[in-house]
Amino acid sequence: MSDEHPAPGAGTTRRRGRLTVYFGSAPGVGKTYAMLDEAQRRADRGTDVVVGLVETHGRAATVAKIGDLEMIPRRLVEHRGVTLTELDVPAVLDRDPEVVLVDELAHTNAPGSPHPKRWQDVHDLLDAGIDVVTTVNVQHLESLNDDVEAITGVRQRETVPDQVVRDADQIQLVDLSPEQLRRRLAHGNVYRAEQIDASMSSYFRVGNLTALRELALLWLADRVEDSLTKYRADHAITGTWPARERIVVAVTGGAETETLLRRGARIAQRAAGSELLAVHVLPTDGLPSTPSATIAGYRTLVESLGGSFHTVVGEDVPSAVVDFARGVNATMIVVGVSRHPLWRQALLGSSSAEIARLSGAIDVHLVTHEEARGGGHARRKGTLLSPRRRLAGWVCAVLIPGLLTAGLLGIGRDDAALATDAMLLLAGVVGIALIGGLWPAVVAAIVSNLCLNWFFTPPVGRWTIAEGENVLALALFVVVAIAVASVVDLAARRAAQAYRARAEASALAALSRSVLSGDDTASAVVERVAETFGLAQVRLEERAEERAPWRVLASAVRPGVGPAGPAPAGPAADAERQWSDAEQSEVAIDDRRRLVLCGRALPASDRQAVEAFGAQAGIVLEHRRLRERAEKAALLEQTEGTRTALLAAVSHDLRTPLATIRTAVDGLTMPDVELDQEDRDLLTRTIGESTARLERLIGNLLDLSRLQTGAVRPALRAASLEEVVPIAVEPWLADLSLDVGEDLPLVHTDPGLLERVVANLVSNAVRHSPTGAKVLVSGSATPEEVELRVIDTGPGVPDGRKASMFEPFQRLGDVTGTGLGLGLAVADGLSRAVGATLTAEDTPGGGLTMVLTMPRDGAAS
């Protein structure tokens, strides 16, 4: 043992081992070979390298690459009568090499191992100070599991957390083009010959491999980006490093925003790998200055252009935009030319000029637009107060200053109390601002100032003021009163806006919840709109083309409300109600759908919320329609595929036993041929075997047709596996090893159908097992379920085929076989009919294990 690597527990603190990962997009790209190549190079330099576990999969080149590298013997694990081999972590720790090779990081360990996953074993080695070199494919990353399933149709059961791979000290990409990988597969360098055709036509299609390769490259690019960001942070680098073009578009919410976004997208498209990011700055109070529906539209536009939309909060817009750009390591900021008049830009400056001044090394691209020609237009602020409150505010503006003045005069005062008088009148102005808003408060401030001057400022009863400091006091009173009233009025406006924004968010959230709960129907949408906005009637109308008449798709009516009192019930009656133009408005969803709102005229603020609601509703309905079409298309495709496969299979596989029977019968009945007893017995056995085979084929076809038409009606009851399994496996007893104990609990099933399931599973296992190898049938129980495992040591099934192996007319390798390929399809369908589940697992050491999981009697209820 070298001095640099003292044994664990020797009292010397060791550094944590370094993890190197060879990362690939698919099986067969050469990860294991590259790992062994690195091991040979390290060994040649004198590094102590051992092989902890390498899966060669029978590939001659991989076996040869191991060469004279020392190999740690694997740990043997007995599980249900099968001997499994796993990485022997204690043996590696005792050997204490500098570097150990551990293949297939995402592997699941055999039951009874110290850790359930191999990546946890690797962590133990790293903690002991041993460097580890390992391999993993992109399809085994946890975060990409759903994406890989969507691409390949196969869900990976063995995964590794992304962070485990991200934390690696070094990641080496092993890359091959799809064409090169398919050539390796065709030459037999990846799978055995009987698996090549099936793999080429399923998992290893060019489209699948291209998509997986893109996933691997994008994931690795993100990891490289993380490393670059960490390096910049560790070294306090704040300047822009143009490793990748990132275009930031400053979204103002004005009419020019769409022009800016499209210009930014065109700039981003000029360089491959560029990113488009749009940023909108909210005030520090978090309340939007632009309608939420408008911002939602811009977000949709950005995403359609391939970019991402971001919202940040900042008091100073230019600083917030530049800080965001620096935070994302942007290379360019796209901003529009100021809409303000020249005199205002000269006095106050412009946001675009300030962004250019603050940007530093980041380029700033100024875009002209139509809004810049006419200058900005001041936005008129509408009142948020009801007419009653406005009237009350004006009445108070006249009465409260007079009442306060009369009260102060009635209680007696002296000249030194001017400050107290002013504070009381100021409090009255604040109260008026809370009641009636800004302008009544301004009038009240002026009236209060006049009262102070006439009644309380020497000389009393005259408009003149004797002391100069009182002049200043009265002037400050007016200024402070108006300023305080403005703040109070602004706070009231912001509170009202916040309430409205919360209401809009709640309405859209309610729609989203209804979608997630499955209520994404047209009726649910219109009912939600009517309920949220208090409308008497809401209709969702649709037309086939642009000028076609509208027809009512769904309608919601509040009970007992109508233009002429109660109306008859029913959708037809709802659609026939007549409303005046003042009581009816329309909100367009798209060219073919619209919402018709009846009962009251909507204010502009409510209409913006309804438009956002309508846009969301349009997406929901379109999604539902596309989903229904996809389901119908999938059903038609499945039916057509089944019909085609059935005709092809029947024409071939049923012909074989019939031809065999015909030949044997002809041989027995030929008058001019004398057969001895042995030949006659052989022909008779041939007829019997072919007839039995024909019966099985026809039985499977009938079972499949019953399953597809829903004609299977299981009679569920308590049953014992001891009475079902022996009958099911009787034809293959010579090829089986049974381990189904008498102590297994009863299961809740249909014994007859379960017998067919077991028979098909055993038949399939025996057919694919090597000559002389026995198939193991074993049973086990948990508190709620009973498992029956059918274990063979045959060629197994690749991960890419495990999902499709339960489909009809699928045979291993898609080569000529001895059946229609219906056995597993029928077994899967019948198992689901009796409430069981059927899954496929790899047999450790090679082969396939079919796991039939059934509910225990009593647990099913």
Side-chain angles (χ1 to χ4, degrees):
M1 187 175 297
S2 66
D3 295 337
E4 295 181 14
H5 294 267
T12 303
T13 302
R14 300 180 60 172
R15 66 168 179 82
R16 178 177 170 82
R18 293 176 58 82
L19 177 63
T20 300
V21 176
Y22 279 88
F23 184 65
S25 59
V29 295
K31 302 179 301 302
T32 303
Y33 190 90
M35 177 180 68
L36 290 169
D37 188 59
E38 177 182 344
Q40 293 288 0
R41 292 196 305 271
R42 292 197 184 193
D44 292 342
R45 294 196 300 266
T47 303
D48 184 15
V49 182
V50 300
V51 176
L53 187 146
V54 167
E55 298 289 357
T56 63
H57 300 289
R59 299 166 188 165
T62 305
V63 174
K65 196 63 180 177
I66 296 177
D68 57 355
L69 291 175
E70 179 184 350
M71 301 183 67
I72 303 295
R74 300 191 185 191
R75 179 172 55 91
L76 303 180
V77 180
E78 293 291 334
H79 178 62
R80 296 179 178 177
V82 179
T83 301
L84 310 176
T85 62
E86 296 291 352
L87 173 66
D88 195 340
V89 177
V92 177
L93 294 175
D94 291 341
R95 172 62 176 76
D96 192 29
E98 293 181 63
V99 181
V100 61
L101 308 185
V102 181
D103 207 1
E104 297 185 359
L105 184 64
H107 171 76
T108 300
N109 291 330
S113 301
H115 296 301
K117 290 289 189 176
R118 183 170 291 169
W119 63 263
Q120 295 170 313
D121 296 336
V122 168
H123 274 200
D124 289 346
L125 299 177
L126 295 173
D127 291 338
I130 301 174
D131 294 346
V132 178
V133 184
T134 186
T135 64
V136 72
N137 275 331
V138 68
Q139 68 263 29
H140 295 297
L141 294 177
E142 183 66 41
S143 68
L144 300 178
N145 206 337
D146 293 339
D147 295 334
V148 172
E149 182 181 12
I151 293 169
T152 64
V154 179
R155 186 164 191 86
Q156 300 296 328
R157 299 183 183 274
E158 294 187 327
T159 59
V160 59
D162 288 46
Q163 198 59 42
V164 174
V165 184
R166 284 185 177 274
D167 290 342
D169 298 277
Q170 187 175 3
I171 300 179
Q172 296 282 352
L173 177 65
V174 182
D175 186 39
L176 280 180
S177 68
E179 293 76 14
Q180 289 176 307
L181 182 54
R182 283 171 60 85
R183 279 198 298 271
R184 290 200 66 210
L185 182 66
H187 293 161
N189 297 328
V190 179
Y191 291 143
R192 289 186 290 268
E194 63 271 17
Q195 298 175 293
I196 293 176
D197 290 339
S199 301
M200 293 276 283
S201 62
S202 57
Y203 194 88
F204 284 81
R205 294 197 301 267
V206 173
N208 287 359
L209 297 178
T210 303
L212 291 174
R213 188 186 190 197
E214 182 179 15
L215 276 182
L217 293 173
L218 290 175
W219 188 92
L220 190 59
D222 288 340
R223 199 270 184 180
V224 173
E225 180 68 20
D226 292 341
S227 300
L228 178 60
T229 302
K230 183 178 183 299
Y231 179 85
R232 284 163 50 86
D234 292 342
H235 292 78
I237 299 174
T238 58
T240 300
W241 282 13
R244 181 192 295 186
E245 289 289 339
R246 286 186 177 84
I247 313 300
V248 172
V249 180
V251 174
T252 62
E256 76 280 2
T257 299
E258 185 172 339
T259 301
L260 299 182
L261 292 175
R262 296 189 185 280
R263 181 64 60 84
R266 289 199 296 271
I267 295 174
Q269 291 171 358
R270 295 172 185 171
S274 298
E275 286 187 53
L276 175 66
L277 303 95
V279 58
H280 178 63
V281 181
L282 288 176
T284 51
D285 56 14
L287 296 174
S289 57
T290 303
S292 57
T294 303
I295 296 300
Y298 292 144
R299 182 186 298 274
T300 303
L301 175 59
V302 171
E303 293 173 354
S304 68
L305 294 173
S308 57
F309 192 93
H310 306 267
T311 301
V312 298
V313 177
E315 183 64 32
D316 182 60
V317 173
S319 298
V321 171
V322 173
D323 289 344
F324 173 83
R326 286 177 178 160
V328 299
N329 196 26
T331 56
M332 179 182 293
I333 300 174
V334 177
V335 63
V337 174
S338 176
R339 294 176 293 168
H340 298 303
L342 293 177
W343 63 266
R344 180 170 177 176
Q345 296 183 42
L347 293 176
L348 302 177
S350 66
S351 296
S352 55
E354 186 67 8
I355 289 175
R357 187 183 68 83
L358 297 174
S359 63
I362 305 175
D363 296 338
V364 176
H365 188 87
L366 289 178
V367 179
T368 59
H369 49 84
E370 293 294 332
E371 293 295 314
R373 297 181 180 179
H377 298 280
R379 185 176 57 184
R380 181 180 178 181
K381 295 182 179 179
T383 179
L384 298 174
L385 303 176
S386 64
R388 180 175 298 179
R389 283 188 61 180
R390 294 200 301 271
L391 177 60
W394 286 111
V395 172
C396 291
V398 176
L399 294 181
I400 287 181
L403 293 175
L404 288 176
T405 300
L408 291 172
L409 291 174
I411 62 176
R413 52 169 301 287
D414 53 37
D415 295 341
L418 180 61
T420 302
D421 300 336
M423 292 301 296
L424 288 174
L425 290 170
L426 179 60
V429 173
V430 173
I432 293 169
L434 290 173
I435 296 173
L438 176 62
W439 292 110
V442 171
V443 172
I446 296 173
V447 173
S448 298
N449 179 274
L450 295 177
C451 291
L452 281 174
N453 188 1
W454 184 266
F455 293 104
F456 304 113
T457 304
V460 177
R462 299 175 60 184
W463 296 114
T464 58
I465 302 174
E467 299 179 13
E469 62 182 26
N470 288 339
V471 175
L472 179 60
L474 291 176
L476 289 177
F477 172 83
V478 175
V479 173
V480 171
I482 294 176
V484 171
S486 300
V487 172
V488 171
D489 178 70
L490 178 61
R493 290 176 180 275
R494 291 301 190 188
Q497 291 175 359
Y499 177 80
R500 183 174 297 280
R502 185 176 64 182
E504 293 177 7
S506 299
L508 291 175
L511 178 62
S512 300
R513 284 194 300 271
S514 67
V515 174
L516 293 176
S517 62
D519 297 332
D520 54 343
T521 62
S523 298
V525 169
V526 295
E527 288 174 3
R528 182 68 63 184
V529 173
E531 174 187 350
T532 302
F533 298 97
L535 296 166
Q537 182 187 24
V538 177
R539 298 197 308 270
L540 177 62
E541 297 182 348
E542 186 181 42
R543 59 185 178 184
E545 53 187 19
E546 185 176 353
R547 296 186 179 181
W550 293 97
R551 64 182 184 88
V552 178
L553 189 62
S555 177
V557 179
R558 294 170 61 192
V561 179
D574 295 339
E576 293 174 358
R577 296 188 178 196
Q578 300 298 318
W579 301 83
S580 65
D581 293 339
E583 297 171 324
Q584 180 172 300
S585 57
E586 299 177 2
V587 174
I589 296 177
D590 51 39
D591 294 339
R592 297 190 300 107
R593 286 189 291 264
R594 68 178 182 179
L595 285 173
V596 180
L597 316 174
C598 306
R600 65 185 178 93
L602 287 179
S605 55
D606 278 355
R607 185 174 181 85
Q608 291 175 351
V610 175
E611 288 175 351
F613 210 101
Q616 184 74 9
I619 296 173
V620 168
L621 296 175
E622 191 63 28
H623 171 73
R624 181 178 181 84
R625 176 170 296 183
L626 292 176
R627 187 176 63 196
E628 292 174 350
R629 289 181 178 176
E631 291 173 355
K632 292 179 180 177
L635 181 60
L636 291 174
E637 182 180 1
Q638 180 182 4
T639 304
E640 184 63 26
T642 301
R643 182 184 297 111
T644 302
L646 178 62
L647 292 175
V650 167
S651 65
H652 179 273
D653 292 89
L654 292 183
R655 188 190 315 167
T656 302
L658 288 174
T660 304
I661 295 172
R662 177 63 181 271
T663 302
V665 171
D666 289 344
L668 289 172
T669 58
M670 291 180 63
D672 55 345
V673 177
E674 292 290 337
L675 299 175
D676 57 24
Q677 188 61 37
E678 182 178 355
D679 291 335
R680 298 182 68 85
D681 291 342
L682 176 61
L683 291 175
T684 303
R685 281 199 310 273
T686 301
I687 294 173
E689 292 172 355
S690 298
T691 303
R693 176 181 168 190
L694 188 60
E695 288 177 347
R696 287 197 301 271
L697 293 176
I698 295 175
N700 280 333
L701 284 172
L702 292 176
D703 286 339
L704 181 64
S705 63
R706 292 171 61 207
L707 287 169
Q708 291 185 339
T709 58
V712 177
R713 297 291 185 269
L716 302 179
R717 64 174 178 85
S720 170
L721 291 182
E722 186 183 6
E723 66 175 280
V724 174
V725 173
I727 299 175
V729 304
E730 183 177 1
W732 305 279
L733 283 176
D735 301 310
L736 296 182
S737 175
L738 284 178
D739 183 18
V740 181
E742 299 178 359
D743 56 344
L744 288 177
L746 299 178
V747 296
H748 188 71
T749 187
D750 182 321
L753 297 181
L754 181 62
E755 180 183 329
R756 296 297 304 273
V757 173
V758 176
N760 280 0
L761 294 179
V762 172
S763 172
N764 184 75
V766 170
R767 186 164 59 250
H768 292 97
S769 293
T771 304
K774 287 184 176 287
V775 173
L776 173 62
V777 180
S778 65
S780 61
T782 66
E784 295 184 353
E785 297 174 332
V786 176
E787 283 189 355
L788 186 70
R789 291 176 171 264
V790 180
I791 305 169
D792 68 62
T793 55
V797 176
D799 289 340
R801 292 292 306 276
K802 284 190 174 68
S804 60
M805 64 187 292
F806 296 109
E807 298 175 1
F809 313 107
Q810 298 293 321
R811 289 193 299 252
L812 181 62
D814 282 343
V815 295
T816 301
T818 59
L820 290 173
L822 297 178
L824 292 182
V826 171
D828 182 55
L830 291 178
S831 63
R832 283 188 274 109
V834 300
T837 58
L838 183 61
T839 56
E841 299 178 357
D842 291 330
T843 301
L848 184 69
T849 298
M850 304 300 297
V851 183
L852 183 65
T853 305
M854 299 156 284
R856 293 177 56 160
D857 186 51
S861 58

